[in-house]
Amino acid sequence: SAPAITAPAPAVAEAVAPASPPPPPVEQARRYKTNAPASAQFDLHVDRRDADGTKWQGVAAMAWDNRGDTYQLKLEVGLSMLITRINLLVLTSEGLIDDSGIVPVTATEKRHARSQTATHFNRSAKAITFSATTATAPWQEGVQDKATVPFQLAAIGRADVNQLAGNIDILVGEEKEATVFRFQLVGEEELETKMGRLVTWHLRRPPKPGTYSSQLDIWLAPSMQWYPVQIRNTEASGALTTQTVTQIRVNDATGK
């Protein structure tokens, strides 16, 4: 939010009222060694249970393009109909790849029946700006957007699995603000998927009172470049959305 503007003290006042304190700085996230995974396309099955118990299914497609020093990422989530497909959510991200991992420059979000929003990450100005608000947030090394978080976690695991012990803090620029997502390692779990049984590492961002009310779970597959193979969002209302991989097509078998 914009800093408060203190009105000038009346001329007759003997003491000037103290200015409002500046907004608190964004908590500094940890730094990690990274090794971003190779380019791949993902097909996912979407299971959704609304807060009222209504269930529906859909499909998602995720395209991760690692070009060495730059990247592009796109996620489309939709309902498959008999004749057509309705896109419920489209996320895009593009930027750089360096020693800190994925470095977003521009991220967009488009939800069904809503205008697209954009988030801009300006490294040189050390600022994150948003099309949906005039507010800005401080940029810091390691900052991600919503689409890149699972791939940055993969890059951290690929570089050194021991980094996943303890709290994993990642600053995330969303539509209107930047928030530190704190992930914790739940443990190793086996997932049944259309690709067979996958051994995964399960990471969880529990709800954080006063910041975000939803829980985010991500399952990474070490045998498959630490790709995210399942993502689940549990909302405060009880609504649950799970995306599970059905197919992965890796572009670069060497796994840069």
Side-chain angles (χ1 to χ4, degrees), residues 107-126:
T108 68
E109 176 168 334
K110 175 73 176 76
R111 292 185 180 272
H112 183 62
R114 282 170 52 182
S115 298
Q116 176 174 290
T117 59
T119 303
H120 300 281
F121 301 81
N122 190 328
R123 186 184 219 164
S124 59
K126 293 283 192 286

Side-chain angles (χ1 to χ4, degrees), residues 32-208:
Y32 301 92
K33 291 184 289 185
T34 60
N35 180 7
S39 301
Q41 281 80 45
F42 303 78
D43 295 331
L44 304 108
H45 177 76
V46 181
D47 268 309
R48 165 82 180 181
R49 187 190 70 222
D50 292 333
D52 62 5
T54 304
K55 294 181 180 180
W56 55 265
Q57 296 186 334
V59 292
M62 194 159 57
W64 161 249
D65 187 8
N66 176 351
R67 299 174 180 178
D69 54 0
T70 63
Y71 78 90
Q72 287 190 324
L73 177 59
K74 186 172 188 178
L75 169 67
E76 299 178 80
V77 181
L79 285 174
S80 289
M81 316 299 279
L82 284 174
I83 304 169
T84 185
R85 173 180 160 172
I86 301 172
N87 264 351
L88 302 179
L89 172 67
V90 179
L91 299 177
T92 72
S93 176
E94 59 183 26
L96 311 174
I97 296 176
D98 66 12
D99 290 345
S100 69
I102 299 166
V103 185
V105 173
T106 304
T108 68
E109 176 168 334
K110 175 73 176 76
R111 292 185 180 272
H112 183 62
R114 282 170 52 182
S115 298
Q116 176 174 290
T117 59
T119 303
H120 300 281
F121 301 81
N122 190 328
R123 186 184 219 164
S124 59
K126 293 283 192 286
I128 305 169
T129 59
F130 315 90
S131 68
T133 175
T134 57
T136 64
W139 181 96
Q140 63 178 240
E141 186 173 303
V143 65
Q144 302 296 308
D145 58 60
K146 285 195 286 190
T148 59
V149 166
F151 289 91
Q152 179 74 350
L153 288 171
I156 291 169
R158 279 167 54 82
D160 182 356
V161 64
N162 294 313
Q163 296 183 110
L164 297 180
N167 292 328
I168 306 143
D169 290 342
I170 297 177
L171 179 65
V172 180
E174 301 187 84
E175 301 100 305
K176 295 183 178 180
E177 61 185 358
T179 307
V180 173
F181 284 16
R182 173 160 287 178
F183 288 91
Q184 294 155 353
L185 180 63
V186 177
E188 189 171 289
E189 294 178 7
E190 288 192 352
L191 281 187
E192 291 290 349
T193 75
K194 290 201 172 177
M195 297 178 60
R197 182 173 291 182
L198 298 177
V199 175
T200 67
W201 282 44
H202 177 187
L203 297 166
R204 171 176 293 158
R205 184 205 72 179
K208 185 176 179 182

